Amino acid sequence: MADPQHHLPGIADNTEPQREADARLELEAERIVEALVFASAQPVSEAYMAQRLPKGTDVNRIMQRLKGFYAGRGVNLLQVDDHWAFRTAADLSFVVQTDENEIKKLSRAALEVLAIIAYHQPVTRAEIEDIRGVQTSRGTLDVLMEAGWVRFRGRRRTPGRPVTIGTTRDFLDHFGLEEIRDLPGMEELKGAGLLAGRVPSNFQIPIPLGDDALEDDEDPITQLDLEELGLLTPRGEEAE
Amino acid sequence: MADPQHHLPGIADNTEPQREADARLELEAERIVEALVFASAQPVSEAYMAQRLPKGTDVNRIMQRLKGFYAGRGVNLLQVDDHWAFRTAADLSFVVQTDENEIKKLSRAALEVLAIIAYHQPVTRAEIEDIRGVQTSRGTLDVLMEAGWVRFRGRRRTPGRPVTIGTTRDFLDHFGLEEIRDLPGMEELKGAGLLAGRVPSNFQIPIPLGDDALEDDEDPITQLDLEELGLLTPRGEEAE
Amino acid sequence: MNSAKETPKKPSARAPMDVLWQDESGERALHEEALVIDIAGFEGPLDLLLHLARTQKVDLSRISVLALAEQYIAFIERARSIRIELAADYLVMAAWLAFLKSRLLIPQQAKDEGPSGEEMASSLAFRLKRLEAMREAATRLINRNRLGRDVFARGAPEHIPVERHSGYEASLYDLLSAYASLRQRQAVMQVTIEKRTVWSLADARLILARMLGDMVDWTALDHFLLRYMTSPRERATAIASSFAASLEMVREGRLEIRQDGAFAPIYVRQGPNPMSAEKLAELEAARG
């Protein structure tokens, strides 16, 4: 669909009806995505919406506009990855809350592991244990997986091919994050080198990856990781 | 709350800020009822909303105005007696209903069979039953085939030439795996709390062989085989 | 101090989640006394170190690693002196810190291999900072507006968008847990778990009674029990049960017992009131 603003001036007799037609189509597209997203409790992907819109519709642009439209209202349009969902405005939680609104409480260990996975993903279990300095007790990862917040992502191409763990879209949805880069304090932590999986002599900072696609990061570059991490730590010595 | 239109003219220096304050209150009331109606599983009564609004708020008037606000949109506000609910606009039901009834939860048995196929592939039907310890009902494999997650790979060069089964590319896509070898092994399942720590010493989880290439003891499936297996006839009888 | 297992953890008792959720600082209200006793509340040596570092009340980047190492080692010594079971992790850390301390105090030889004391210290400081940063991040994360607590989804969804063509729903977690529990179930069904041989008191009593007739003179308890011990693994249980049974039989006058010193061999012989053949037959019958 053509953007009305790109029409050239001077051919007004032609553009005026055209503009109206565009606006009508645009409104119709807005209505369709509103209906789609409103009808679902789960975030709806842009790809899914695109299938239900006229070919070539710029879904993201429409969603961004709708997001602005709902910004001040009681129900907001939120982006989660490349998915969209309507959610009640956070400042209204006091009215909406009922007794049934029970959410699962996490143990301190589970919460810590969740944060480490979120900020360091894709991360292996050995790395989680290195950061915490303690073995992850049975059931901790289990709880997070069952909640649907973390998942096995793949394997790192290092000796032993350890399985890597990352967060899910449900995680983003649950904590109201558009993408993993929106994690609180991410920039500061990166800047301080605290998300680097290694000791300070090596100031290489991996950019956390939240996407579903496996990244080049799961390549031999990170080979240093495991060995290096283990070497200077007591846990590593213990393992020897 | 006074309707701004009912203010008398001539006392403008007083009404202007007043009008603004009223509008703000009104918008806040609208936001609250929007959130309430949106989050509720049932239509919400005006009485319930009134409890959550400043005393004396004319709920019905607010709802009527909101109804107007949503009238042209993809989601409408509907009144049922003195209860209110959001519903997708009637003329858009076609977008919302296209894939109704399509999503089914995989049965426990199907999950087990699928998992066995994933880990033990290429695997024969008899081997699946051996691992599960029970006979696999006819429909279970059908369901997995229908889902597009498993396929016949070939025939094993052993007496009876049993058909071997493996997973598909769609399987990997659905479960977010890049390759079948990304499936977690015993240590990872243990670490995630999915496997108990104490398993028999001879307990092993195979490393799945998921290549498209046939194994040494596998023959390709031929057209003849498919007919023989009854796969080319609708819902064919499975070779027992 | 030989426990290689994890000490039982009770984090909920010491650091309830509520504290973490409500208390921004994440600081745990713990006084020194509790610290000594309640090692079980710590999630490993780094957690303990972090707590000790916190009590130095300085920025983590300016902590004295040397002082911290000394505090930790002192803490472990105190715990050991009052015989608190420490997980191996804690002892390994103590040993590592002792090594670090020596590296920091003694100038390094030129040809000395391995990391310098300073490198080790900065690595430790980094790990502490990183762990603390993750704790703070966790607190900030959990205090966000959360779906189902602060923010709500549509209460009456009309439609579930089906994005996959398969038409079936299953997550990787579903798949893996189905597989793991199936395999585990089958493994349990197929493996015959070896029965652990335990000598009951009754067994031991019967065996001792059978032996009484053969015993002319003082015989070492474990020496004659060897006849009944088919495998070394039974040794402990056989000796324990026989000893307990022998005490009872001494009380009944069927047996006399003698030991010349602590940990010296225990000798037994027939007592003044030996068991009759009928009584023995009765015992045998009762045992089946």
Side-chain angles (χ1 to χ4, degrees):
Chain A
M1 234 179 296
D3 188 323
Q5 295 176 321
H6 290 171
H7 284 294
L8 293 173
I11 39 168
D13 39 78
N14 223 1
T15 49
E16 199 44 52
Q18 180 61 39
R19 199 173 296 174
E20 263 175 43
D22 282 356
R24 252 203 317 278
L25 279 172
E26 193 103 333
L27 178 64
E28 198 54 21
E30 270 189 17
R31 292 183 71 234
I32 289 176
V33 295
E34 258 176 352
L36 283 173
V37 178
F38 222 93
S40 166
Q42 298 296 316
V44 180
S45 77
E46 289 184 2
Y48 181 84
M49 292 187 261
Q51 284 171 17
R52 277 148 185 84
L53 290 171
K55 245 201 168 117
T57 311
D58 184 344
V59 181
N60 189 264
R61 198 172 54 83
I62 290 182
M63 297 315 289
Q64 295 294 352
R65 241 207 354 232
L66 264 185
K67 182 182 171 180
F69 177 80
Y70 280 99
R73 308 219 53 95
V75 172
N76 304 149
L77 187 57
L78 303 184
Q79 184 168 9
V80 186
D81 250 353
D82 58 345
H83 288 54
W84 294 83
F86 277 111
R87 299 287 181 245
T88 58
D91 65 316
L92 296 178
S93 64
F94 70 99
V95 261
V96 187
Q97 258 168 14
T98 65
D99 309 334
E100 298 144 49
N101 299 330
E102 280 284 315
I103 52 170
K104 199 171 197 171
K105 282 202 174 187
L106 289 179
S107 71
R108 194 163 82 98
L111 180 53
E112 221 170 271
V113 169
L114 178 63
I116 291 169
I117 293 172
Y119 284 81
H120 291 260
Q121 63 186 301
V123 67
T124 67
R125 200 158 61 90
E127 288 161 351
I128 296 170
E129 297 188 344
D130 180 71
I131 292 170
R132 296 187 64 227
V134 72
Q135 276 206 314
T136 311
S137 62
R138 203 162 299 290
T140 306
L141 264 181
D142 190 18
V143 162
L144 297 174
M145 289 200 177
E146 202 178 350
W149 291 341
V150 310
R151 64 185 181 88
F152 291 122
R153 285 176 54 111
R155 286 180 183 271
R156 188 165 294 159
R157 295 191 200 107
T158 52
R161 301 185 76 246
V163 163
T164 54
I165 305 166
T167 54
T168 62
R169 195 170 55 245
D170 277 357
F171 166 83
L172 295 177
D173 192 22
H174 185 91
F175 292 100
L177 298 160
E178 250 184 44
E179 50 176 343
I180 212 68
R181 286 175 189 78
D182 291 344
L183 279 168
M186 193 66 149
E187 286 308 311
E188 296 97 288
L189 289 171
K190 260 200 288 186
L194 290 170
L195 298 185
R198 50 198 88 203
V199 286
S201 53
N202 260 327
F203 261 111
Q204 199 179 356
I205 299 151
I207 300 157
L209 305 155
D211 339 30
D212 279 0
L214 288 173
E215 302 288 328
D216 305 337
D217 159 68
E218 270 128 308
D219 260 343
I221 298 166
T222 45
Q223 188 153 351
L224 295 166
D225 256 12
L226 281 181
E227 290 105 329
E228 236 174 68
L229 276 173
L231 276 179
L232 293 176
T233 69
R235 177 152 289 283
E237 288 183 355
E238 190 188 24
E240 237 97 273
Chain B
M1 235 178 295
D3 187 320
Q5 296 177 322
H6 290 169
H7 283 295
L8 293 173
I11 40 167
D13 38 80
N14 223 2
T15 49
E16 198 42 53
Q18 180 62 39
R19 201 173 295 175
E20 264 177 40
D22 282 356
R24 254 203 315 279
L25 280 172
E26 196 105 328
L27 177 63
E28 198 52 23
E30 277 187 11
R31 294 181 72 235
I32 289 174
V33 296
E34 268 175 343
L36 282 174
V37 175
F38 174 82
S40 169
Q42 283 97 34
V44 182
S45 74
E46 289 183 6
Y48 181 85
M49 292 188 258
Q51 283 172 19
R52 276 156 176 78
L53 288 170
K55 244 199 172 115
T57 310
D58 183 345
V59 180
N60 189 263
R61 198 171 55 80
I62 288 182
M63 297 314 290
Q64 295 298 347
R65 245 215 345 236
L66 262 187
K67 184 179 171 181
F69 175 81
Y70 281 102
R73 309 217 54 96
V75 171
N76 303 151
L77 194 55
L78 297 187
Q79 185 170 11
V80 189
D81 283 339
D82 60 341
H83 287 58
W84 293 84
F86 279 115
R87 289 285 178 265
T88 50
D91 66 316
L92 294 177
S93 57
F94 73 97
V95 262
V96 175
Q97 271 164 14
T98 43
D99 46 26
E100 205 78 71
N101 308 327
E102 270 185 31
I103 195 143
K104 285 166 261 174
K105 223 172 154 54
L106 215 55
S107 72
R108 179 81 193 177
L111 265 180
E112 284 182 5
V113 170
L114 179 60
I116 291 169
I117 295 172
Y119 272 97
H120 297 256
Q121 63 187 300
V123 66
T124 68
R125 204 188 155 92
E127 286 163 351
I128 294 171
E129 298 191 340
D130 190 49
I131 294 167
R132 282 189 75 213
V134 286
Q135 276 215 314
T136 304
S137 79
R138 187 161 302 204
T140 307
L141 262 183
D142 287 348
V143 160
L144 297 175
M145 294 259 176
E146 189 193 323
W149 289 338
V150 307
R151 66 193 171 90
F152 291 122
R153 287 172 51 105
R155 280 177 175 277
R156 187 162 298 157
R157 284 194 215 110
T158 51
R161 300 185 71 239
V163 170
T164 53
I165 307 167
T167 53
T168 62
R169 181 74 234 170
D170 278 356
F171 168 84
L172 296 178
D173 288 345
H174 183 95
F175 292 97
L177 299 165
E178 194 169 79
E179 48 173 327
I180 201 70
R181 289 197 306 157
D182 286 351
L183 281 172
M186 182 157 76
E187 284 313 310
E188 284 109 359
L189 291 177
K190 272 193 199 171
L194 291 168
L195 262 184
R198 277 164 47 128
V199 291
S201 55
N202 61 350
F203 186 88
Q204 275 191 337
I205 282 179
I207 296 160
L209 305 162
D211 313 312
D212 284 348
L214 294 169
E215 296 295 300
D216 288 345
D217 62 352
E218 271 182 301
D219 281 332
I221 288 256
T222 62
Q223 181 76 11
L224 203 69
D225 288 330
L226 290 175
E227 277 159 28
E228 200 184 304
L229 288 167
L231 286 168
L232 293 181
T233 62
R235 191 129 313 240
E237 294 289 304
E238 270 171 345
E240 290 296 289
Chain C
M1 296 312 97
N2 51 5
S3 164
K5 292 190 187 96
E6 276 183 315
T7 46
K9 293 199 177 118
K10 38 174 181 174
S12 54
R14 206 182 109 271
M17 283 307 300
D18 295 353
V19 174
L20 200 58
W21 286 28
Q22 284 147 24
D23 186 349
E24 275 293 325
S25 70
E27 202 85 53
R28 274 161 287 150
L30 250 194
H31 40 82
E32 273 305 298
E33 263 333 284
L35 189 72
V36 174
I37 306 306
D38 201 6
I39 185 130
F42 287 97
E43 290 256 346
L46 267 195
D47 189 21
L48 172 55
L49 270 171
L50 195 55
H51 180 82
L52 292 173
R54 282 270 132 254
T55 59
Q56 286 192 15
K57 301 274 180 221
V58 287
D59 189 307
L60 264 188
S61 54
R62 285 168 42 219
I63 51 161
S64 158
V65 170
L66 186 60
L68 187 60
E70 281 167 350
Q71 280 180 43
Y72 183 93
I73 293 165
F75 175 86
I76 295 295
E77 289 306 321
R78 273 157 73 195
R80 294 182 68 155
S81 70
I82 53 172
R83 295 171 187 233
I84 288 179
E85 288 250 319
L86 287 174
D89 289 3
Y90 290 90
L91 302 178
V92 170
M93 178 61 93
W96 188 81
L97 288 172
F99 179 62
L100 164 64
K101 209 176 116 184
S102 71
R103 285 255 155 165
L104 286 174
L105 294 176
I106 301 158
Q108 202 164 354
Q109 303 295 307
K111 59 176 183 177
D112 201 351
E113 295 280 315
S116 71
E118 284 70 28
E119 279 166 357
M120 290 170 70
S122 72
S123 141
L124 178 66
F126 170 76
R127 295 190 67 197
L128 289 175
K129 251 163 67 183
R130 186 174 60 177
L131 180 60
E132 181 169 70
M134 282 299 109
R135 295 240 162 113
E136 279 163 10
T139 309
R140 290 170 73 175
L141 187 64
I142 212 72
N143 286 327
R144 286 183 65 82
N145 291 319
R146 294 171 64 186
L147 187 63
R149 186 183 70 176
D150 311 293
V151 161
F152 299 88
R154 175 90 187 266
E158 297 166 66
H159 162 77
I160 301 160
V162 180
E163 313 235 353
R164 318 256 192 200
H165 302 297
S166 70
Y168 285 93
E169 192 188 42
S171 70
L172 185 59
Y173 176 79
D174 294 337
L175 187 74
L176 297 177
S177 56
Y179 182 68
S181 65
L182 164 79
R183 289 297 312 278
Q184 192 137 286
R185 207 165 64 229
Q186 292 301 108
V188 168
M189 279 171 62
Q190 286 166 4
V191 168
T192 41
I193 292 162
E194 200 182 345
K195 193 165 175 282
R196 208 176 137 228
T197 328
V198 178
W199 280 32
S200 68
L201 266 183
D203 291 339
R205 196 177 152 78
L206 179 62
I207 288 160
L208 280 176
R210 276 191 205 137
M211 297 304 300
L212 286 177
D214 299 347
M215 279 187 272
V216 210
D217 202 356
W218 290 106
T219 311
L221 180 67
D222 53 357
H223 173 73
F224 94 82
L225 279 174
L226 282 179
R227 279 177 57 176
Y228 283 88
M229 283 185 252
T230 49
S231 82
R233 280 185 299 165
E234 284 182 43
R235 217 182 155 83
T237 176
I239 289 178
S241 300
S242 311
F243 181 66
S246 68
L247 291 182
E248 195 184 301
M249 292 170 78
V250 168
R251 193 174 53 78
E252 293 166 0
R254 308 205 187 283
L255 206 72
E256 283 182 11
I257 197 161
R258 173 170 76 86
Q259 189 181 28
D260 296 337
F263 305 111
I266 295 166
Y267 294 95
V268 289
R269 72 173 178 198
Q270 209 164 57
N273 180 22
M275 191 176 282
S276 64
E278 296 79 48
K279 180 77 185 158
L280 184 59
E282 204 176 294
L283 274 180
E284 298 271 10
R287 289 287 306 148

